[in-house]
Every structure is written in C-alpha cells, then in structure tokens.
Amino acid sequence: MKPCTTVLSADPHKKGENNVDQQKITILYCRLSNEDTLDGESNSIANQRNILTRFAAERGFTNTRILVDDGYTGTNFNRPGIQEGLSLVEQGLVGTWIVKDMSRFGRDYLQVGRYTEIVFPSYDVRFIAVNDAVDSATGDNDFTVIRNVFNDFYAKDTSKKVRSVIKAKGISGKHLGKPPYGYRSDPQDKDHWILDEEAAPVVKRIFDMTIAGIGPCRIARILEDDQVPTVKTLYAMRKGKPAPERPCHWHEQSVVGILERMEYTGCVCNFKTYSKSYKLKKRIPNVKEDMFILPGTQEAIVSQEQWDRVQELRKNKRRITKGERQGLFSGLLFCADCGSKLNFATCKRFEGKQDRYVCAKYRSGRGACSGHIIREEVLRDVVLERIRAVTEMIRSDVEGFQEDWLQCRREDQEKSIREDKRRLAQAKKRLADIDVLMTRIYEDMVLGNLSQERYQKMSEGYEAEQSNLNNEIIGLEDWVETREEMDNSFDQFAALVEKYVDIPELTPTIVNEFIKKIIVYAPEKQGTKRIQKVRIIFNFLDELDTPEIGEPVITETTYGRGKTA
C-alpha cells in the first residue's frame, strides 16, 4: 500500500494530485460531548461539519464520509462514529482522516498518540487536524504531544469539577436519585421523601416474608395471587398510561431489587457506585464504607436490624422440597467436615418426625462426605433450648456480657485493621507510580528512545498490574473501618433479646433473627445411643467464644428421642 502524497495546500486550484489515493475514503470526523456545549457554537456539530467539508473541497479531497459522535466524551474511544471509522481503517479503505482539532479526535493523550503515531501510519492513513496545523504528510508538529496532554488535562479537570458538584450535593444529605417504590417526593420539598401510602405496606410485607423464610420467587407468586399491582403498573396508573398486559405479574428480580435498597431504613444512601477513572464509564459497586449514609432523613419502612438480617439471609438460598415443605433451618446448616450445606429431606408421606437434614456431599454413602444427618425435631429442641439459655444469661448481666464480648473481638480486629491499612497504602502508592511510569514510556516512544513494539508490551504489562491493584484496593477498603460497626452489633442483639422475652416455640422469623448459621458434626455411636455435636452461631455474636455461646451443644438420641446434654 502506497502512502498518501496529497499536499496540504491553501491554493484551492490544486486539487486531486493523487488520483489513486482519492479513491479511498476521506473521513471527516465530528465529535461533541455534553461538556463541550458549554463552549458555545464554536464546537457545535454543525460548525465542525462546515469547517471540514469546506476544507476537504478546497484541498481536493473526494469520496468523503462524515462520521459524527454527538454527546460522547473524548476520554475514551467507545464511540459508534469513531469505531465505524477505525473499522474502515483496518480494512484498508481509508486514505485520510480529518478533524477540526486534536481534542475532537480524543482527550486521552495515550490513546490519541497510539492511533496517530502507530495505528494510522501502519495503514498509510494521513491524519489532519485543521485548526492545530497538524498534518502527518508534512511531518510531526513539535507541539502535538503537548497539545494532546493539555486536551487530556482539560477532560480530567472538567470531570473533577462535575464530580465535585455531585459530591457536594451528595454529602449535603440530599438524595441523588429518584424515590424508590415505597416512597414519593414531598410536594413541599422535592429533595425530601415521604411514604407512599399504597406502596410502603407492600415493601414492609416483602421484608417480613423474607424474614419468615420465604424466597423472592415465592414472594413474587404470593403478590401476584393477591392481585398486588406491580411497580410498573402502579406508576402507569398514576400517570394515566395503559397498564401492562399482566398488571400483577411480579418478577423475582423486582423483589430482589426492593430487598437490596438501604433507603427503606429511612436513610440517605449516596455514592453506591463509582468509576475507577474519568476515562472509564463502567460503574462499580462501592463498599459500604465509601458510601455516604445519613440515617433518619425520612420515615423508615423497615428497621435497620431487619434490613441487615435480610441481607444475611439473601446470601443463603433456600429451596422447596418435593414434599412441598421448607425446613425451619434451611440455608442455615453447614457440615463441620466438608463445609457444604445440609439439605432438607422430606416427602409427602412423612409425618414430620422423619424430616431431616443431610450433607449435600453425602449422597447415600457414595459421596465425598460422611453422613452428617440430623432430624429437624431434634434440632428444633436444641436450638430453642440454647436461645432461651443465651437470652436469659444476657438479661441477667447486660453490661458485663457486653464488656466480655468487646474484649474478645478487640485484639484481633485492631491487628487486622493495622495490617489492612499498611497493605492499602502500599497498593495505592504503587498505583500512583504506575501512572508516572506510563507517562514516561509514552514520552520515550514519541522521542524515539523506545520502540513501538517495546512500548506496547510494557504498556500492556502496566495496565494488567493496574487492574490487579484496583481489585486489591477495593477488597482492602472493605475492612479498614470495620471497628465502627463492631460496637453496634451487640446493641442489635440486646434489642432482639428484649423483643422476645418469652419464646414458647420456634418460628421461621425467630430462627432467622437469632441464628446466623449452625454447624453440624458427624454423629458418634456409644452403645445404644447416638451422640452428635451441633454448634450454633448467633447473629452479631459470632466472634464470642464463651462456653455458653461458642461451645457446641451435644445431642443424645435414644430410641428415637432427641435430648441435650
């Protein structure tokens, strides 16, 4: 493929000097972002189009194709217009690429340099930036690199200003989004949410059913059977629009979305997602410590304790058996040896006493684990007895028990936090160092001190390391401030103890509020007796290792009866 030899000329009579190259496409590329509209008419799409078409006509460029990206940022190249043009370049169909100025092509100086210095020359594509006097056919412009860096800085500075405005609003205690289902905007103050009298009870009911052990799929079916209008139906009716074809057909994901909204506890929750860079538009879920959470900004639909417990239960999915019954402890039992869940086993002909839980890896003696089997009747008695004992013990000396609990957790937590902070600081420092190194190798490549092949290889290596470091930082930041949550855990359990002064029998709600998980050990035979250990881990007290809390309960079964020793 021969390089294009058309000369950039101010003489309008010198046209079509290279007929072969004129058979190729001349791309006239226009771009305008939302931020660029602040600069007025000079950067408008219409103005860019006029400048480029007039320039092409005066210089004799034929077979032109105008590509436009209106409303797209220049900080990345994920734009439909530019992707179409680059596809044509890779097919060898483009002879010249013309833009109004370098910033229209892009504001990421590393990517702009990669295309203008590596990609376009390799496909013999001539690159022209009209207002910046850049033309690859006449040699390098000494200020091109500096101009690219300045364009990148402009994008970064604009992004910083926009983020500052959003952050200022977010930390002022105002919601950044619209009210979710269950709330509506206050007619007197659009930034304040008030209860939606029609939807709020539905939200509360969904949380109550989850605490009672009902999964999102069953909840959706129950709401549909009860003819509860869906979120979309409710909003359509209020706006006078036609309702969906199935106005009460709830989807499982709609229920899950409601269960995950922290705002139902009455708080403001801003900055739930973030982007790693102003050049990346992908939103990443934020860790709770980096969100802005302000409690008590609107009336709560559910309590904080109920919301927290629902999130724990959502981690362990439960299933309905063929006997159309769900175990009271489904999703809470784990094997002490292999760590697998214990599945609930029943059938329609069982009377209830035969209902049991079996290690998922047992498989009738042919699996990878032994028979960690325990009957629900036995487990029900054991758990009820232990809950009663623990609640009575806490009521007798709340302050002394809290001090023991705090002392038990304090040493390990403080050591862990110090180590996390040290690793976090190292990761962030290395991330900053890589930014400097990538700038240096790009400058070395432009100045001819580093080959293009070596630059690409080093650049890919640094980008991979950046990705790994970002993932590590996200994980570490999740732990550095856990100390603040530690003091609240006991208060939540103490409130639960006061809520249930007398427990005559277990219900799914009581089990799910008190129990985090239950570890079942393999049974041992001692004559005619079957001895089996069960360790019960309570919500909020999982780190406490006192005899009453941390030691396993021993169950003793004789002639089909379960007893605790």
Side-chain angles (χ1 to χ4, degrees), residues 211-214 309 313 316-319 321 325-335 340-345 352 355-358 374-387 503 505-520 534-538 555:
I211 291 291
I214 304 176
R309 185 56 188 144
L313 292 174
N316 298 310
K317 295 183 180 180
R318 305 180 178 201
R319 61 184 180 89
T321 63
R325 290 199 298 272
Q326 180 173 288
L328 182 62
F329 305 100
S330 294
L332 300 177
L333 300 178
F334 294 86
C335 176
S340 300
K341 289 183 180 179
L342 270 67
N343 295 330
F344 182 58
D355 292 346
R356 58 190 179 272
Y357 296 89
V358 185
I374 188 167
R375 288 192 290 119
E376 181 168 88
E377 183 185 40
V378 173
L379 196 58
R380 188 188 294 264
D381 292 340
V382 168
V383 173
L384 179 57
E385 181 180 340
R386 180 47 66 96
I387 288 178
I503 305 175
E505 63 177 356
L506 293 180
T507 65
T509 300
I510 291 175
V511 170
N512 291 328
E513 287 188 325
F514 272 97
I515 307 301
K516 183 174 185 178
K517 67 179 179 178
I518 301 172
I519 301 174
V520 179
V534 175
R535 186 183 178 196
I536 302 171
I537 299 177
F538 288 88
T555 69

Side-chain angles (χ1 to χ4, degrees), residues 113-125:
R114 175 173 172 266
Y115 284 111
T116 59
E117 302 288 340
I118 301 174
V119 176
F120 284 173
S122 66
Y123 287 98
D124 291 334
V125 175

Side-chain angles (χ1 to χ4, degrees), residues 85-136:
L86 293 176
S87 176
L88 295 173
V89 169
E90 293 173 355
Q91 297 175 53
L93 302 178
V94 178
T96 308
W97 188 302
I98 308 176
V99 293
K100 173 177 171 282
D101 54 56
M102 297 295 293
S103 67
R104 298 305 95 203
F105 186 61
R107 291 189 183 278
D108 182 342
Y109 76 98
L110 291 176
Q111 289 295 322
V112 169
R114 175 173 172 266
Y115 284 111
T116 59
E117 302 288 340
I118 301 174
V119 176
F120 284 173
S122 66
Y123 287 98
D124 291 334
V125 175
R126 180 182 179 184
F127 181 80
I128 298 173
V130 178
N131 286 358
D132 292 336
V134 173
D135 184 357
S136 60

Side-chain angles (χ1 to χ4, degrees), residues 15 22 29 58 90 94 121 361 370 399 402 470 517:
K15 302 180 179 180
Q22 287 301 303
Y29 179 73
E58 291 176 351
E90 293 173 355
V94 178
K361 291 188 177 180
S370 60
E399 293 183 0
Q402 183 178 23
N470 278 317
K517 67 179 179 178

Side-chain angles (χ1 to χ4, degrees), residues 204-490:
K204 182 65 168 66
R205 185 183 177 190
I206 289 173
F207 275 86
D208 289 341
M209 285 192 284
T210 304
I211 291 291
I214 304 176
C217 188
R218 284 182 62 201
I219 291 174
R221 289 200 298 268
I222 292 171
L223 295 176
E224 184 171 3
D225 292 341
D226 292 346
Q227 292 296 293
V228 177
T230 64
V231 178
K232 188 175 182 180
T233 300
L234 180 64
Y235 291 159
M237 291 167 51
R238 290 178 176 176
K239 294 180 180 179
K241 296 182 178 180
E245 185 177 347
R246 302 175 67 182
C248 299
H249 181 62
W250 283 76
H251 292 279
E252 178 183 355
Q253 278 308 115
S254 298
V255 176
V256 171
I258 288 173
L259 293 173
E260 292 177 348
R261 289 297 295 257
M262 189 183 300
E263 291 91 336
Y264 291 129
T265 63
C267 69
V268 161
C269 183
N270 292 330
F271 314 122
K272 287 181 283 189
T273 62
Y274 73 100
S275 61
K276 293 182 179 179
S277 168
Y278 68 97
K279 299 178 182 180
L280 304 175
K281 300 307 174 185
K282 180 181 178 181
R283 306 300 299 180
I284 302 171
N286 228 337
V287 295
K288 185 177 179 180
E289 290 76 13
D290 289 337
M291 300 178 189
F292 177 82
I293 301 174
L294 183 64
T297 56
Q298 68 265 354
E299 186 176 348
I301 297 178
V302 298
S303 67
Q304 182 67 52
E305 293 76 19
Q306 187 178 20
W307 190 88
D308 289 338
R309 185 56 188 144
V310 164
Q311 308 317 305
E312 286 289 333
L313 292 174
R314 291 283 302 130
K315 295 177 183 178
N316 298 310
K317 295 183 180 180
R318 305 180 178 201
R319 61 184 180 89
I320 301 297
T321 63
K322 294 180 179 179
E324 297 182 354
R325 290 199 298 272
Q326 180 173 288
L328 182 62
F329 305 100
S330 294
L332 300 177
L333 300 178
F334 294 86
C335 176
D337 292 331
C338 70
S340 300
K341 289 183 180 179
L342 270 67
N343 295 330
F344 182 58
T346 187
C347 64
K348 291 183 178 180
R349 68 175 183 271
F350 280 7
E351 298 178 357
K353 292 183 179 181
Q354 298 97 326
D355 292 346
R356 58 190 179 272
Y357 296 89
V358 185
C359 176
K361 291 188 177 180
Y362 175 54
R363 297 174 186 171
S364 301
R366 303 183 65 183
C369 194
S370 60
H372 296 65
I373 303 173
I374 188 167
R375 288 192 290 119
E376 181 168 88
E377 183 185 40
V378 173
L379 196 58
R380 188 188 294 264
D381 292 340
V382 168
V383 173
L384 179 57
E385 181 180 340
R386 180 47 66 96
I387 288 178
R388 286 172 173 170
V390 170
T391 55
E392 180 61 31
M393 179 186 62
I394 293 176
R395 285 195 198 98
S396 64
D397 185 11
V398 175
E399 293 183 0
F401 189 85
Q402 183 178 23
E403 182 60 31
D404 291 342
W405 176 76
L406 288 173
Q407 184 61 36
C408 180
R409 297 190 65 183
R410 185 173 290 117
E411 294 180 3
D412 289 341
Q413 288 287 3
E414 289 181 349
K415 181 179 179 181
S416 175
I417 291 172
R418 284 197 302 270
E419 178 63 20
D420 286 343
K421 286 184 177 180
R422 185 185 64 82
R423 292 172 55 197
L424 184 61
Q426 289 179 341
K428 288 184 175 180
K429 182 179 182 302
R430 177 57 181 169
L431 199 60
D433 291 342
I434 290 177
D435 287 337
V436 175
L437 290 172
M438 291 192 67
T439 301
R440 288 178 179 174
I441 63 171
Y442 174 72
E443 293 173 349
D444 288 342
M445 186 271 293
V446 172
L447 295 174
N449 298 328
L450 187 68
S451 67
Q452 294 178 358
E453 294 78 8
R454 182 61 177 166
Y455 165 75
Q456 285 184 298
K457 186 174 181 179
M458 294 177 69
S459 178
E460 290 171 359
Y462 283 137
E463 288 174 357
E465 187 177 356
Q466 276 183 324
S467 177
N468 292 334
L469 284 170
N470 278 317
N471 290 334
E472 182 181 1
I473 289 171
I474 291 172
L476 286 172
E477 287 181 338
D478 191 31
W479 298 99
V480 293
E481 295 180 359
T482 54
R483 181 67 181 279
E484 293 180 359
E485 298 177 2
M486 189 176 70
D487 293 337
N488 295 330
S489 298
F490 181 82

Side-chain angles (χ1 to χ4, degrees), residues 8-62:
L8 181 64
S9 172
D11 188 350
H13 299 290
K14 294 184 179 181
K15 302 180 179 180
E17 294 185 9
N18 192 325
N19 294 327
V20 175
D21 285 337
Q22 287 301 303
Q23 295 175 4
K24 288 191 174 184
I25 298 171
T26 295
I27 290 179
L28 309 180
Y29 179 73
C30 310
R31 181 190 67 80
L32 186 72
S33 69
N34 294 328
E35 291 78 12
D36 289 328
T37 58
L38 301 176
D39 294 336
E41 180 64 22
S42 63
N43 275 328
S44 69
I45 294 296
N47 187 56
Q48 293 180 55
R49 191 194 301 264
N50 291 336
I51 291 174
L52 297 181
T53 52
R54 184 171 63 251
F55 179 88
E58 291 176 351
R59 270 66 177 181
F61 291 103
T62 60

